[in-house]
Amino acid sequence: MNNNTKIPVEVNPDEDTEWNDILRDHGIIPEKPPSPSAQLEEALEEAVRKQHENRLENKDIDELDALEDKEDEEFLNFYKQKRMNEIKKLSEKKKYGSVLPISKNEYEDEVTKAPKGTTVLVHLSLQSSLQSRLLGSLLTEVARKFPELKVCDIPAQRCIENYPESNCPTLIVYKDGNVLKQYVTLTQMGGNATTLKDIERILVDLHAVGDSDKRLIINDEDEDSQQARSLRFAKKSVRGKGDNDDDDDDDDFYD
């Protein structure tokens, strides 16, 4: 009998045995993959750690002040300074605050050549359009609430000759001379029921406003006011232009 005969031995590389450890050390079998439960545990621990480290990330100055007796002073001061720097940076950007009516000749200077880093919202408007008047009202609130954004209004057909009335209102969002997004009518926002919250969601999606910006929080009174206004617009659109009390409704809207 030949003593050099090699007998194949089956090895399960997933088994946790001393023999497998020797084989792994010599590179004969691959390293045992970590167990899914161990990976999950590690991921959960990492998530908890990050959550704890970032627990002050979205708190404002007043909320940080209220934690003086509960948090480490140096850690707290770091976030206070961070908030103050953010406030300072934001205040430096507050150049606008109201809707700017522009003409076709002013479009390039006011929109495509706006200061670098400035987000510009352009409303191609049509006064006879119900949705355009709604959007105009909402953009007035946006301009006041986010004065670092530049909000412009130009009658659509003065901007683009023979621009279809059915495309009004059109909202174009620019940054650094480039079009980020274009919305033709309010269909993608909420139609006649569009609210300030819908516009804010667009601003967040386009990174024009940070998703943790405290100004995005709308209190219940504002919500009720928006819903009432949206309902009034919806009713008016159902009645149509032929109704005799259109003028009265218009006056109510601009009160």
Side-chain angles (χ1 to χ4, degrees):
M1 181 176 177
N2 187 349
N3 293 330
N4 293 326
T5 302
K6 295 181 179 180
I7 302 173
V9 178
E10 289 188 8
V11 175
N12 182 353
D14 294 330
E15 287 183 348
D16 196 9
T17 64
E18 186 177 349
W19 175 242
N20 275 2
D21 288 341
I22 295 171
L23 295 179
R24 290 188 190 102
D25 289 340
H26 288 82
I28 297 172
I29 63 174
E31 291 293 328
K32 185 180 178 183
S35 70
S37 59
Q39 286 181 310
L40 179 60
E41 228 174 274
E42 187 179 336
L44 288 173
E45 286 177 4
E46 178 67 9
V48 170
R49 184 184 65 78
K50 285 186 176 180
Q51 185 181 31
H52 181 71
E53 287 180 355
N54 299 326
R55 62 189 180 279
L56 303 183
E57 193 62 48
N58 294 323
K59 295 191 180 297
D60 59 27
I61 293 289
D62 290 338
E63 289 171 325
L64 292 172
D65 284 338
L67 294 173
E68 284 185 352
D69 297 331
K70 299 179 182 179
E71 294 284 354
D72 175 74
E73 184 178 358
E74 186 177 349
F75 184 60
L76 201 58
N77 286 338
F78 169 79
Y79 277 97
K80 283 185 180 180
Q81 188 61 50
K82 188 176 180 182
R83 290 296 92 78
M84 290 171 69
N85 290 340
E86 289 170 354
I87 292 170
K88 181 181 178 183
K89 189 175 179 181
L90 188 60
S91 65
E92 289 171 352
K93 290 182 178 180
K94 292 182 179 179
K95 301 177 181 178
Y96 308 106
S98 61
V99 177
L100 176 66
I102 60 173
S103 65
K104 185 175 182 178
N105 293 336
E106 297 171 321
Y107 197 98
E108 185 177 7
D109 287 338
E110 297 293 348
V111 177
T112 59
K113 290 184 178 179
K116 187 173 177 60
T118 302
T119 300
V120 186
L121 284 70
V122 181
H123 176 199
L124 303 188
S125 60
L126 179 67
Q127 183 56 31
S128 62
S129 165
L130 173 75
Q131 288 193 355
S132 191
R133 299 205 305 278
L134 171 57
L135 180 60
S137 173
L138 295 174
L139 290 178
T140 297
E141 295 183 59
V142 167
R144 175 189 56 77
K145 196 172 184 181
F146 305 99
E148 72 276 16
L149 305 179
K150 189 172 188 178
V151 184
C152 301
D153 183 287
I154 180 170
Q157 293 192 356
R158 291 186 192 174
C159 182
I160 304 171
E161 190 174 353
N162 297 321
Y163 191 73
E165 292 188 358
S166 58
N167 286 356
C168 295
T170 294
L171 177 65
I172 310 174
V173 185
Y174 287 84
K175 188 169 186 179
D176 297 332
N178 300 312
V179 175
L180 297 182
K181 193 80 175 180
Q182 178 172 302
Y183 300 89
V184 178
T185 75
L186 301 184
T187 302
Q188 293 175 269
M189 304 181 202
N192 292 347
T194 301
T195 67
L196 180 59
K197 204 167 188 178
D198 296 313
I199 306 296
E200 288 182 346
R201 192 173 292 112
I202 288 171
L203 297 177
V204 170
D205 290 343
L206 296 178
H207 306 292
V209 176
D211 57 4
S212 61
D213 195 311
K214 292 293 183 181
R215 296 172 298 174
L216 291 170
I217 298 174
I218 302 170
N219 62 38
D220 293 337
E221 184 178 341
D222 288 339
E223 281 288 320
D224 291 341
S225 174
Q226 290 166 18
Q227 289 172 3
R229 183 174 58 234
S230 297
L231 182 61
R232 185 158 65 245
F233 268 94
K235 287 180 178 177
K236 187 177 175 189
S237 65
V238 172
R239 285 200 306 266
K241 292 182 179 179
D243 201 87
N244 291 332
D245 61 356
D246 265 2
D247 292 338
D248 291 337
D249 282 347
D250 286 348
D251 292 338
D252 289 343
F253 173 70
Y254 289 106
D255 283 346

